[in-house]
Each structure stands twice: as structure tokens, then as C-alpha cells.
Amino acid sequence: ERGTTGFRVGCRPAWPADLDGTAPLLEDGTQDPEFASYPNPTPASATYCGVDFQTAELIMEGDGAGQFYAADAVLNQVTVLDTRDNDPGWTVTGTMGDFQAGTPGTDPSFSGDQLGWEPLADDTDPIPGSDYDQAVTAGPIVDPNTPGGLGDGATLASAEPGAGRGIAKLDARLKLLIPVSVFSGNYTGTLTIPAS
């Protein structure tokens, strides 16, 4: 969360991302209380949002056949609420750290550049009861296994100065390529998503 009045960024923890504006429901059909403030993020919602790629499968044909295991996932939806009067714009980026099987420097790891994404942005939901609306641009596609890719950071979405104020909902389709030379195991990594 950025500490500027009228500018908040939060995510929907451990919930598959979508862009239809629907808050998660419990099994009985009632709204999950953890998301009572949705779509307006609160400081409590600016937290860790896990993504599970499950088990990667060996690529059997086409590009990377026999060289990589592949896994897909969806980034948990990130919500940006901007009501600042000066309308300065904003940028949300993502930087992927190394994927690590255990202790850094000791256990197997591989580069965060093995993760790629296709960002998506929805800016069509103005703040209820207001005329706020903003033009948001999704960041460029970053292919997995690209040196200087998400390991160095890339733009998820942005709003230019003067693009308006409102709520933007962001997500990305994720693709991970794991070289066959990497030891098998359970790997974790941190995708940091700051806003400025």
C-alpha cells in the first residue's frame, strides 16, 4: 500500500483472479467476510497473495520440447483505487525473485526470468455513486525464459497523468518454464508488485 491519501493497492488473497468484479463467495453463497471491502482494498488486503502452479508437465512438442517443464496459473486480482485530486497517474510493476527449493545458496534454485505473464487490466468499473473513471493500460507481454524479463521487473499496468480517477482491476495469465536440468522438488518464489 502506498501511503498517499486517496491511493490504495490491494489484492485478493488465495483466490483465482477474474475481471468480472465478483467478490468471492463462501460455499453457502454468502460473501466471504475477508473481502467485505471489495472492490475497495483496505490495508489488511494489501498482503501476501499466493499462486499455486501445481505440477509442471514436460513440453513434448514445439518450442522447448524436451527442454522445459511448463505450468500455468493466474495472478490473484490486484485492485488499484485512486481518488487523488491531482490525478498524477500510477504504475504497478512486478519483479520475480529466484525460485528456491529450500535454503538460498545451498538448495536448488532457478531464475525468476523463467516466469512470464500476459497482463490484463479492466478500468470500466467507476467508483459507485461517482463519475470517477480512469483509462488504464495493461503492460506488455513478457515471455517466460527471457533474460531481463520478470526477474528484472516489468509493468503490470499503468495510468497516465490526467487519465482520470477510479478503480482498476488487474491480473495476468502466468506461464512458468522450468529447465529440465533443475532438480525436482517443491519450489517457491516471491513476485513483488509495488505501485508508484
Side-chain angles (χ1 to χ4, degrees), residues 1-10 37 39-43 45-46 78-84 90 92 166 168 195:
E1 177 182 14
R2 184 182 167 121
T4 303
T5 302
F7 184 72
R8 292 181 289 179
V9 179
S37 65
N40 301 320
T42 63
S45 67
V78 175
T79 302
V80 178
L81 169 64
D82 188 359
T83 60
R84 295 172 293 178
W90 50 263
V92 174

Side-chain angles (χ1 to χ4, degrees), residues 41-54:
T42 63
S45 67
T47 184
Y48 298 101
C49 302
V51 175
D52 190 347
F53 281 91
Q54 303 295 320

Side-chain angles (χ1 to χ4, degrees), residues 23-67:
L25 301 178
L26 299 173
E27 289 183 9
D28 65 2
T30 61
Q31 184 178 6
D32 187 333
E34 184 176 359
F35 298 91
S37 65
Y38 183 82
N40 301 320
T42 63
S45 67
T47 184
Y48 298 101
C49 302
V51 175
D52 190 347
F53 281 91
Q54 303 295 320
T55 301
E57 296 184 2
L58 181 65
I59 298 176
M60 299 297 289
E61 57 185 32
D63 291 341
Q67 300 175 49

Side-chain angles (χ1 to χ4, degrees), residues 12 15-24 38 74-79 120 122 169-173:
R12 291 167 43 175
W15 184 259
D18 60 55
L19 292 176
D20 68 3
T22 303
Y38 183 82
V74 178
L75 182 70
N76 289 293
Q77 184 172 290
V78 175
T79 302
L120 299 171
D122 181 1
K169 290 170 285 188
L170 319 175
D171 86 7
R173 303 310 186 246

Side-chain angles (χ1 to χ4, degrees), residues 74-128:
V74 178
L75 182 70
N76 289 293
Q77 184 172 290
V78 175
T79 302
V80 178
L81 169 64
D82 188 359
T83 60
R84 295 172 293 178
D85 290 338
N86 58 346
D87 194 7
W90 50 263
T91 301
V92 174
T93 58
T95 303
M96 185 68 218
D98 287 348
F99 289 89
Q100 188 71 50
T103 305
T106 303
D107 292 318
S109 65
F110 61 94
S111 171
D113 286 336
Q114 295 303 127
L115 179 67
W117 69 11
E118 180 182 354
L120 299 171
D122 181 1
D123 57 8
T124 60
D125 187 14
I127 297 173

